[in-house]
């Protein structure tokens, strides 16, 4: 570091130029010594890549040299302690497995994504897809984002943080979790479990989280994502009640026939009692409470009744309308 009389550090760069700075941070990376003759890897028949990484079979972790296996930093990314231990266990299991064995240790996918923790201040953690990556893979997504101050523990101890859920807009499945803030590298493991289990935000909303914890933020983020869905959590109970054994005969003509049969005054609008009678005539009896919620959510023009277009939209979403 510069002394009292030397305010800046002078660095000579590879291109011959000189840079003066008060701080120099070296992040040159690291690499195995596989190319080093002292290691003797190539002499032993191991295939070594340009940067010194040892080539392996991703299933067994065997190298190109008979009876030699490799794990950890020497085989390259991600070069983490947690993955290195798991790789070593797989390598040892492979050593003692017969070719005909079905070994669960070999069922692991070497290239499976990892939950990432970054121990900065504040911490960061993420697992799964970003919005951009999800859309590139063909998903239609919504994001649920919440600040740490939306839970009591966050407000008291660490208000400056953020948790984001990336969810499939068609069914609410969690595709990715991204966290920045206190304990992010801990909480990301729960996010990983949500993504791997294909948990929906609706299941998160049904979960009771212990107070006072940072995990309450997952529920708040799920609520935010739900608010951006065309058919959110309030619709889910309705869909469950209506779907059941869903006959393919519910085409447009059938729906209109049933609608007009109940619409005895020919107004083209159905009130709550008429809507309930309509579903009963279609073999889908539903409770008064379900009908009340259905009327409230389906009445897009706010006139207190349901026209045929609003009625058909319900079945379009449920999936009961047979495509022409």
């Amino acid at each position: 570091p510069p002394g009292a009389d030397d305010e800046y550090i002078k660095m000579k760069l590879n291109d011959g130029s000189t840079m003066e700075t008060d701080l120099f941070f070296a992040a040159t990376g690291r690499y195995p010594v596989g190319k080093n003759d002292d290691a003797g890897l190539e002499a032993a028949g191991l295939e070594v890549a340009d940067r010194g990484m040892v080539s392996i079979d991703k299933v067994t972790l065997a190298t190109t040299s008979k009876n030699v296996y490799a794990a950890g930093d020497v085989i390259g990314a991600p070069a983490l302690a947690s993955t290195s231990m798991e790789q070593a266990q797989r390598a040892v299991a492979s050593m003692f497995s017969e070719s005909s064995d079905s070994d669960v240790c070999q069922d692991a996918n070497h290239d499976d994504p990892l939950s990432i923790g970054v121990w900065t201040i504040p911490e960061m953690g993420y697992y799964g897809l970003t919005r951009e990556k999800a859309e590139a893979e063909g998903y239609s997504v919504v994001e649920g984002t919440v600040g740490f101050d939306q839970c009591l523990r966050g407000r008291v101890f660490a208000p400056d943080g953020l948790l984001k859920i990336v969810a499939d807009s068609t069914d609410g499945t969690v595709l990715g979790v991204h966290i920045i803030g206190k304990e992010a590298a801990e909480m990301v493991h729960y996010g990983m479990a949500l993504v791997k289990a294909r948990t929906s935000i609706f299941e998160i909303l049904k979960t009771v989280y212990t107070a006072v914890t940072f995990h309450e933020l997952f529920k708040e983020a799920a609520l935010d994502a739900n608010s951006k869905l065309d058919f959110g959590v309030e619709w889910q109970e309705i869909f469950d009640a209506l779907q059941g054994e869903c006959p393919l005969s519910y085409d447009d003509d059938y729906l209109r026939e049933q609608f007009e049969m109940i619409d005895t005054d020919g107004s083209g609008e159905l009130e709550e009692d008429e809507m309930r009678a309509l579903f009963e005539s279609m073999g889908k009896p539903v409770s008064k409470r379900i009908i009340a919620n259905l009327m409230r959510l389906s009445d897009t023009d706010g006139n207190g009744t349901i026209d045929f277009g609003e009625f058909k939209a319900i079945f379009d979403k449920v999936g009961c309308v047979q495509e022409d």
Side-chain angles (χ1 to χ4, degrees), residues 116-118 122-126 148 162 179-189:
I116 302 299
V118 183
E123 289 183 13
M124 292 181 284
Y126 63 90
F148 270 37
L162 179 144
I179 313 170
I180 179 169
K182 189 176 179 63
E183 307 295 345
E186 294 284 348
M187 290 193 292
V188 72
H189 294 96

Side-chain angles (χ1 to χ4, degrees), residues 2-307:
D5 298 327
D6 299 315
E7 187 174 352
Y8 294 102
I9 299 171
K10 291 184 178 180
M11 296 184 296
K12 187 174 182 180
L13 306 182
N14 289 340
D15 62 4
S17 62
T18 301
M19 176 183 290
E20 291 188 354
T21 179
D22 59 346
L23 182 65
F24 171 62
F25 178 70
T28 57
R30 55 183 176 163
Y31 60 90
V33 294
K35 281 290 186 182
N36 189 321
D37 290 339
D38 293 338
L41 298 182
E42 289 182 308
L46 277 69
E47 181 180 320
V48 181
D50 291 339
R51 286 181 56 83
M53 314 297 183
V54 174
S55 299
I56 57 160
D57 179 304
K58 290 185 177 182
V59 175
T60 65
L61 284 95
T63 68
T64 53
S65 181
K66 184 179 180 181
N67 297 330
V68 178
Y69 295 74
D73 294 9
V74 73
I75 66 174
L80 302 172
S82 54
T83 56
S84 297
M85 288 189 293
E86 205 277 344
Q87 290 163 3
Q89 291 170 355
R90 285 168 50 205
V92 172
S94 296
M95 293 177 193
F96 295 96
S97 294
E98 301 291 341
S99 58
S100 59
D101 285 351
S102 177
D103 197 310
V104 293
C105 202
Q106 295 183 12
D107 292 339
N109 184 344
H110 186 81
D111 295 318
D112 268 350
L114 303 169
S115 61
I116 302 299
V118 183
W119 285 267
T120 48
I121 301 175
E123 289 183 13
M124 292 181 284
Y126 63 90
Y127 183 86
L129 303 178
T130 62
R131 182 189 191 105
E132 293 76 15
K133 182 66 173 176
E135 290 176 342
E137 293 189 12
Y139 290 101
S140 172
V141 302
V142 294
E143 292 178 323
T145 304
V146 62
F148 270 37
D149 59 352
Q150 294 303 300
C151 75
L152 181 56
R153 185 169 187 145
R155 284 197 293 276
V156 173
F157 296 108
D160 298 324
L162 179 144
L163 186 147
K164 178 190 290 185
I165 288 176
V166 179
D168 187 337
S169 64
T170 60
D171 59 10
T173 299
V174 178
L175 302 174
V177 173
H178 309 270
I179 313 170
I180 179 169
K182 189 176 179 63
E183 307 295 345
E186 294 284 348
M187 290 193 292
V188 72
H189 294 96
Y190 177 63
M192 176 176 65
L194 294 176
V195 175
K196 296 185 76 169
R198 297 192 61 78
T199 306
S200 74
I201 61 171
F202 310 121
E203 293 172 273
I204 295 175
L205 292 175
K206 294 176 184 176
T207 303
V208 178
Y209 293 89
T210 302
V212 176
T213 65
F214 286 124
H215 279 72
E216 292 179 292
L217 293 169
F218 284 95
K219 194 166 190 173
E220 296 298 326
L223 278 169
D224 186 55
N226 176 76
S227 70
K228 299 169 184 176
L229 294 174
D230 291 334
F231 294 88
V233 67
E234 290 184 297
W235 278 99
Q236 301 309 307
E237 183 183 28
I238 294 171
F239 294 156
D240 289 343
L242 295 182
Q243 280 180 319
E245 294 297 325
C246 187
L248 293 176
S249 58
Y250 284 7
D251 57 19
D252 286 4
D253 291 339
Y254 175 81
L255 292 176
R256 183 168 289 282
E257 177 186 345
Q258 297 299 311
F259 186 93
E260 292 176 351
M261 181 176 67
I262 299 298
D263 181 27
T264 55
D265 61 4
S267 65
E269 303 279 348
L270 298 184
E271 296 181 350
E272 190 170 309
D273 289 343
E274 292 176 311
M275 278 287 287
R276 191 173 185 187
L278 173 55
F279 281 108
E280 287 178 355
S281 74
M282 299 171 63
K284 292 286 182 182
V286 290
S287 69
K288 187 174 182 178
R289 178 175 62 84
I290 293 292
I291 287 294
N293 281 335
L294 184 60
M295 294 285 292
R296 176 175 58 84
L297 294 169
S298 303
D299 182 18
T300 56
D301 56 16
N303 66 355
T305 59
I306 300 297
D307 61 30

